[in-house]
Amino acid sequence: MKSFREELWFQTEERRDYINITPQIERAVTKSGIREGMALVNAMHITASVYINDDESGLIQDFDEFLEKLAPQGKPYRHHGTGEDNGDAHIKRQLMGREVVVALTNGKLDFGPWEQIFYAEFDGRRKKRVLIKIIGE
Amino acid sequence: MKSFREELWFQTEERRDYINITPQIERAVTKSGIREGMALVNAMHITASVYINDDESGLIQDFDEFLEKLAPQGKPYRHHGTGEDNGDAHIKRQLMGREVVVALTNGKLDFGPWEQIFYAEFDGRRKKRVLIKIIGE
Amino acid sequence: MKSFREELWFQTEERRDYINITPQIERAVTKSGIREGMALVNAMHITASVYINDDESGLIQDFDEFLEKLAPQGKPYRHHGTGEDNGDAHIKRQLMGREVVVALTNGKLDFGPWEQIFYAEFDGRRKKRVLIKIIGE
């Protein structure tokens, strides 16, 4: 069994952002030399998500409005008793998920026609990381 | 390390449907000959989910009503600016998740007493796929 | 490829509870002797979750209030037609997720600074299990 590890770093200008990271994951898969296996891609921070959906700007706005309606920024979350102001971001991240696991077949991400991997930032404007771990042969 | 890949195809009659695919996954596990490892089961489309819960018709209706209340069909989602009418389906899929990863032990799905794998369709009436990828030994 | 399996057992005193199980997962990783690979940690019951977020009591209360608002206990769920009273717990579990997959690097959980693994119980006061399955080398 072979394994491969790489980190991606992000510092968004906005508090919330949605970034298509599929090209970076594809490059990591190629670099790994692994042809059959699984790739785990996860946010290493607990106010960000990695998810798979369509790269369409209207849809991304729909996601953002949906999340903001369910867990609005600026509400007096109990978590703010610690001095933090990002209670909304922790909840948004739970709804969108921490990680994706993607099959590798013939050295490529084994994807349907519209699957794209996104990094979703809910409390940005500082350095944060995504982990890529690939295992297989 | 061995690996195994199979696709399942679906074309539901209704726009939304919930299908127990555990028997198909069990058959794939047997066919793979893999006894210790992990099985990834994921929707290959971005308006459908694979999830694990109980096979009980009342519960499935509870899920459906819950999802329809949070992300109703027919609302003027921004995604519809593309000509699509399935903004609700993209959001429902995010809430129910894209994939499950299941342990394989002694050549079987390593499940608790009530775990069943479901394909959840939120924009059906056309051909869509689920990917099964198994790795192990 | 090596594989390792262990179960954790829980019986909470309250109906809902949130338990940091990171130390148990770390011990399992050490016991497994696996240095590079993936650890799957999943609830074996369908009214409980395994998720990764911060170990902060205010945040945990925020999660609990959020889930209770979206899927309140005691509502007349259709699932209750079976004699069960835990429709809320099935929905809460879907929102928080069934499982996490964590990378193992150099024999350790490959975590960001605040990642902690939680068992979330939504219908407790009886014996329930979590599965740890590790594969790698």
Side-chain angles (χ1 to χ4, degrees):
Chain A
M1 202 203 72
K2 285 201 274 187
S3 72
F4 175 87
R5 179 193 194 275
E6 191 169 284
E7 289 180 5
L8 306 178
W9 286 78
F10 300 91
Q11 178 160 0
T12 62
E13 281 181 31
E14 302 298 323
R15 183 180 168 100
R16 295 202 301 278
D17 205 355
Y18 302 81
I19 300 166
N20 187 338
I21 59 173
T22 316
Q24 288 98 310
I25 310 303
E26 285 170 342
R27 278 197 290 274
V29 169
T30 303
K31 242 195 276 181
S32 77
I34 295 173
R35 296 190 60 79
E36 298 293 326
M38 289 185 193
L40 167 69
V41 186
N42 70 264
M44 298 185 80
H45 298 257
I46 53 191
T47 50
S49 292
V50 172
Y51 73 89
I52 288 175
N53 215 301
D54 197 3
D55 192 352
E56 197 279 302
S57 62
L59 180 66
I60 290 171
Q61 224 177 319
D62 288 328
F63 285 155
D64 192 68
E65 290 172 11
F66 176 79
L67 294 168
E68 182 61 13
K69 192 178 153 202
L70 281 189
Q73 187 187 336
K75 247 189 66 178
Y77 295 97
R78 293 179 191 275
H79 183 47
H80 298 177
T82 62
E84 295 279 353
D85 70 348
N86 59 6
D88 68 304
H90 287 276
I91 295 176
K92 285 169 173 136
R93 126 61 175 263
Q94 284 310 117
L95 292 171
M96 292 298 272
R98 168 187 179 260
E99 80 220 7
V100 298
V101 178
V102 182
L104 296 194
T105 302
N106 291 325
K108 290 202 189 309
L109 298 173
D110 196 335
F111 265 168
W114 301 101
E115 290 189 279
Q116 297 285 312
I117 308 176
F118 275 82
Y119 174 67
E121 175 63 82
F122 302 118
D123 184 27
R125 295 182 291 211
R126 51 201 176 98
K127 284 194 170 181
K128 292 168 80 171
R129 286 179 289 161
V130 161
L131 178 64
I132 309 168
K133 184 91 183 187
I134 306 174
I135 65 172
E137 253 169 25
Chain B
M1 202 203 73
K2 283 202 275 188
S3 73
F4 175 88
R5 179 192 194 277
E6 191 169 285
E7 288 179 7
L8 305 177
W9 286 78
F10 300 92
Q11 179 161 0
T12 62
E13 281 181 32
E14 302 298 322
R15 183 179 168 101
R16 296 201 302 279
D17 205 354
Y18 301 82
I19 301 165
N20 187 337
I21 58 173
T22 316
Q24 288 98 310
I25 309 302
E26 286 171 340
R27 277 197 291 274
V29 170
T30 303
K31 240 194 280 180
S32 76
I34 294 173
R35 295 190 61 78
E36 298 292 327
M38 289 185 192
L40 167 70
V41 187
N42 69 266
M44 298 185 78
H45 297 256
I46 52 190
T47 50
S49 292
V50 172
Y51 73 88
I52 288 175
N53 215 302
D54 196 2
D55 192 351
E56 197 279 301
S57 62
L59 181 66
I60 290 170
Q61 222 176 321
D62 287 327
F63 284 155
D64 192 67
E65 289 173 12
F66 177 79
L67 294 169
E68 181 62 14
K69 192 178 152 205
L70 280 189
Q73 188 187 334
K75 246 189 66 177
Y77 294 97
R78 292 179 192 276
H79 183 47
H80 298 177
T82 62
E84 295 280 352
D85 70 348
N86 59 6
D88 68 304
H90 287 276
I91 295 176
K92 286 169 173 136
R93 127 57 177 263
Q94 284 311 117
L95 291 171
M96 293 299 271
R98 166 187 180 261
E99 78 219 8
V100 298
V101 179
V102 183
L104 297 194
T105 303
N106 290 326
K108 290 200 188 311
L109 299 172
D110 197 334
F111 265 167
W114 301 101
E115 291 189 278
Q116 297 285 314
I117 307 175
F118 276 82
Y119 175 66
E121 175 63 80
F122 302 117
D123 185 26
R125 295 182 289 211
R126 52 203 174 97
K127 285 194 168 178
K128 292 169 79 171
R129 286 179 290 160
V130 161
L131 177 65
I132 309 169
K133 184 92 185 188
I134 306 174
I135 65 172
E137 252 169 25
Chain C
M1 202 203 72
K2 285 203 275 187
S3 72
F4 175 88
R5 179 191 193 277
E6 191 170 284
E7 288 180 7
L8 305 177
W9 287 77
F10 300 91
Q11 179 161 2
T12 62
E13 282 181 29
E14 303 298 324
R15 183 180 168 101
R16 296 203 299 279
D17 205 354
Y18 303 80
I19 300 165
N20 186 337
I21 59 173
T22 317
Q24 288 99 307
I25 310 302
E26 285 171 343
R27 277 198 291 276
V29 170
T30 303
K31 241 195 278 178
S32 76
I34 294 173
R35 296 189 61 78
E36 297 293 327
M38 288 184 193
L40 167 69
V41 187
N42 69 265
M44 297 185 79
H45 298 257
I46 52 191
T47 51
S49 291
V50 171
Y51 73 89
I52 288 176
N53 215 303
D54 198 1
D55 192 353
E56 196 280 302
S57 62
L59 180 66
I60 289 170
Q61 224 177 318
D62 287 329
F63 285 156
D64 192 68
E65 290 173 11
F66 176 78
L67 294 169
E68 182 61 13
K69 193 178 152 204
L70 280 190
Q73 187 188 336
K75 247 189 65 178
Y77 295 97
R78 293 180 190 276
H79 182 48
H80 297 178
T82 62
E84 296 278 354
D85 71 348
N86 59 7
D88 69 304
H90 288 275
I91 295 175
K92 285 169 173 135
R93 128 58 176 263
Q94 284 309 118
L95 291 171
M96 293 299 271
R98 166 187 180 261
E99 80 219 8
V100 297
V101 178
V102 182
L104 297 193
T105 303
N106 290 325
K108 290 201 189 309
L109 298 172
D110 196 334
F111 265 170
W114 301 101
E115 291 188 278
Q116 296 286 313
I117 308 176
F118 276 82
Y119 174 66
E121 176 62 83
F122 302 117
D123 184 27
R125 296 182 291 212
R126 53 200 174 97
K127 284 194 170 179
K128 293 169 80 172
R129 287 180 289 161
V130 160
L131 178 65
I132 308 169
K133 183 91 185 189
I134 305 175
I135 64 172
E137 255 171 25

